[in-house]
């Protein structure tokens, strides 16, 4: 199962019990709700739930999983989520409720997790190389040892290097006084003013190309490469959110009561389920499906008291799409 959260804002001035100002994915300051979405590896929606707009993302995951498990009597669930869900209490709660997880890891811990590799090989890696270690996450009674998996990719290294070079350039301009100080990563404030933190730059270059993952699955159940592949499927959730917000017009939301807002989300994500099915069956994007099939509507008109049914003219493009759907070609349809 893949899980992520997005926000839907409302163009209203005042908050209420559900619509509250919080951390917005769209960088807005309007009252909003949070929407948690659980999908399968192909992006097909399985469970959707709305939460208060100011609720912490980490606290939305367990209620969605519990609801899905109770409704469908599912066992042995593995949930994949991004690094935003990585907190000791969240991971412990998932494990205590008998869920397995794969979450993104903050790369800043890599020098400690991979100390032996850096000692023996420096920052030399093979493209696609998988490295594993264990790390204590949490403090006190909440501390538990977790399996951590890292992968190095040369393409990611090049991308990281470009980003680091751009941040170094901004830091040098801040140090030279030609650019105002903002949230610049490699700037250090010293007694004499601002300067480039070259030690931090060197550490960032050492970690370029690496991405980390934390899981409670044993290696015998899922190897490192499979862990990485499962995490990379998270783009399917992001794609589903984009579809709902653009192609399926999840916004604007003209509702204010929880029941009607949840009904709106139910309609939107039912449409997402149908769209995902049609997309998989035809190989056509949702945008093209909607543009091609929406005009095909049968209408009934009364002419002089006589009802007449006007059937749509099915275009060649629409016929090609419909012919790919198994239900349309099945006997009796």
């Amino acid at each position: 199962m893949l899980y992520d959260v997005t926000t839907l804002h409302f163009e209203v001035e005042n908050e209420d019990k559900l619509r509250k100002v919080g951390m917005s994915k769209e960088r807005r300051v309007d009252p909003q709700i949070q929407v948690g979405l659980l999908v399968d590896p192909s992006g097909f929606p399985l469970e959707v739930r709305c939460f208060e707009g100011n609720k912490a993302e980490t606290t939305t995951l367990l209620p969605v999983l519990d609801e899905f498990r109770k409704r469908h009597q599912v066992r042995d669930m593995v949930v994949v989520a991004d690094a935003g869900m990585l907190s000791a209490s969240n991971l412990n709660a998932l494990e205590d409720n008998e869920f397995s997880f794969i979450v993104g890891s903050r790369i800043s811990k890599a020098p400690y997790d991979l100390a032996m590799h850096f000692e023996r090989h420096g920052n030399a890696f093979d493209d696609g190389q998988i490295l594993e270690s264990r790390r204590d996450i949490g403090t006190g009674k909440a501390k538990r040892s977790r399996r951590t998996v890292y992968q190095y990719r040369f393409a990611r290294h090049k991308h990281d290097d470009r980003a680091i070079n751009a941040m170094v350039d901004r830091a040098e301009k801040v140090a030279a006084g030609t650019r105002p100080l903002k949230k610049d990563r490699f700037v250090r404030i010293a007694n004499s003013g601002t300067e480039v933190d070259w030690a931090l730059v060197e550490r960032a270059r050492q970690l370029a190309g690496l991405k980390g993952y934390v899981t409670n699955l044993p290696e015998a159940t899922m190897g490192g490469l499979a862990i990485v592949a499962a995490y990379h499927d998270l783009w399917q959730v992001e794609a589903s959110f984009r579809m709902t917000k653009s192609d399926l017009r999840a916004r604007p939301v003209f509702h204010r009561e929880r029941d009607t807002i949840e009904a709106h989300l139910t309609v939107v994500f039912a449409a997402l389920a149908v769209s995902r099915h049609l997309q998989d069956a035809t190989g056509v994007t949702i945008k093209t499906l909607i543009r091609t099939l929406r005009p095909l509507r049968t209408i009934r008109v009364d002419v002089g008291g006589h009802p007449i049914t006007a059937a749509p003219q099915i275009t060649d493009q629409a016929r090609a799409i419909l012919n790919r759907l198994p239900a349309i070609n099945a006997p009796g349809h």
Side-chain angles (χ1 to χ4, degrees):
M1 312 288 183
L2 314 172
Y3 182 79
D4 203 356
V5 174
T6 193
T7 54
L8 292 177
H9 70 274
F10 293 74
E11 294 174 2
V12 295
E13 292 183 5
N14 300 320
E15 298 177 302
D16 53 35
K17 291 182 179 180
L18 178 62
R19 302 177 296 175
K20 294 184 177 294
V21 175
M23 201 65 169
S24 172
K25 301 282 187 178
E26 301 166 345
R27 303 182 185 277
R28 301 182 68 96
V29 293
D30 304 288
Q32 65 181 19
I33 60 171
Q34 290 201 70
V35 181
L37 177 64
L38 191 69
V39 306
D40 73 5
S42 70
F44 189 87
L46 302 173
E47 188 83 21
V48 62
R49 185 167 174 179
C50 72
F51 298 91
E52 295 80 2
N54 61 352
K55 193 176 183 69
E57 286 187 16
T58 54
T59 61
T60 66
L61 177 54
L62 197 55
V64 173
L65 293 176
D66 272 334
E67 192 71 24
F68 181 80
R69 180 166 62 181
K70 290 175 183 176
R71 181 178 294 114
H72 300 287
Q73 300 298 306
V74 180
R75 294 291 179 268
D76 298 327
M77 289 175 59
V78 180
V79 61
V80 183
D82 66 19
M85 300 295 167
L86 182 62
S87 71
S89 59
N90 214 37
L91 300 187
N92 292 350
L94 286 172
E95 191 167 61
D96 292 342
N97 282 273
E98 300 181 345
F99 291 110
S100 299
F101 59 79
I102 300 170
V103 297
S105 171
R106 295 178 179 86
I107 200 65
S108 59
K109 300 294 183 181
Y112 310 102
D113 294 342
L114 304 178
M116 186 174 295
H117 175 90
F118 286 118
E119 182 179 339
R120 294 180 177 179
H121 307 286
N123 59 349
F125 298 92
D126 296 326
D127 189 25
Q129 185 175 355
I130 299 286
L131 302 101
E132 295 203 22
S133 67
R134 296 198 69 85
R135 181 201 314 166
D136 288 338
I137 296 180
T139 58
K141 294 182 179 179
K143 183 168 67 175
R144 296 184 189 179
S145 178
R146 299 296 185 194
R147 177 188 174 198
T148 57
V149 177
Y150 289 91
Q151 185 187 45
Y152 172 85
R153 294 296 302 273
F154 180 68
R156 187 186 298 122
H157 191 142
K158 292 196 296 183
H159 176 272
D160 291 346
D161 261 347
R162 286 194 296 270
I164 291 169
N165 290 338
M167 287 185 282
V168 169
D169 182 60
R170 289 196 292 269
E172 288 178 331
K173 290 179 180 178
V174 171
T178 59
R179 183 177 185 274
L181 176 62
K182 298 180 181 178
K183 294 182 179 179
D184 297 291
R185 181 180 175 188
F186 297 134
V187 175
R188 180 174 60 192
I189 300 176
N191 293 333
S192 57
T194 56
E195 58 185 36
V196 180
D197 190 337
W198 291 109
L200 192 58
V201 172
E202 180 59 29
R203 181 175 176 178
R205 293 199 188 282
Q206 182 185 39
L207 303 180
L210 287 171
K211 188 168 180 61
Y213 316 86
V214 173
T215 182
N216 62 342
L217 289 165
E219 188 173 2
T221 300
M222 186 175 284
L225 194 59
I227 294 290
V228 174
Y231 185 86
H232 285 183
D233 283 336
L234 268 179
W235 70 269
Q236 292 281 11
V237 195
E238 298 167 2
S240 290
F241 277 137
R242 284 196 302 272
M243 292 171 190
T244 58
K245 289 186 176 183
S246 56
D247 302 326
L248 302 178
R249 301 179 183 175
R251 278 212 74 262
V253 186
F254 298 107
H255 307 290
R256 55 190 179 86
E257 300 293 337
R258 177 182 280 270
D259 285 349
T260 53
I261 291 173
E262 290 180 344
H264 172 79
L265 290 177
T266 299
V267 172
V268 169
F269 284 94
L272 175 63
V274 173
S275 300
R276 277 291 195 176
H277 169 71
L278 292 176
Q279 187 180 46
D280 292 342
T282 64
V284 179
T285 65
I286 289 180
K287 186 174 183 179
T288 301
L289 283 166
I290 293 174
R291 186 177 64 247
T292 305
L293 301 181
R294 176 173 283 165
L296 306 183
R297 302 185 181 189
T298 299
I299 61 172
R300 181 181 171 128
V301 295
D302 285 328
V303 179
H306 298 285
I308 298 176
T309 300
Q313 183 66 40
I314 300 180
T315 64
D316 291 341
Q317 186 180 16
R319 176 58 63 189
I321 292 174
L322 295 173
N323 286 340
R324 296 179 193 173
L325 298 176
I328 296 297
N329 298 321
H333 288 74

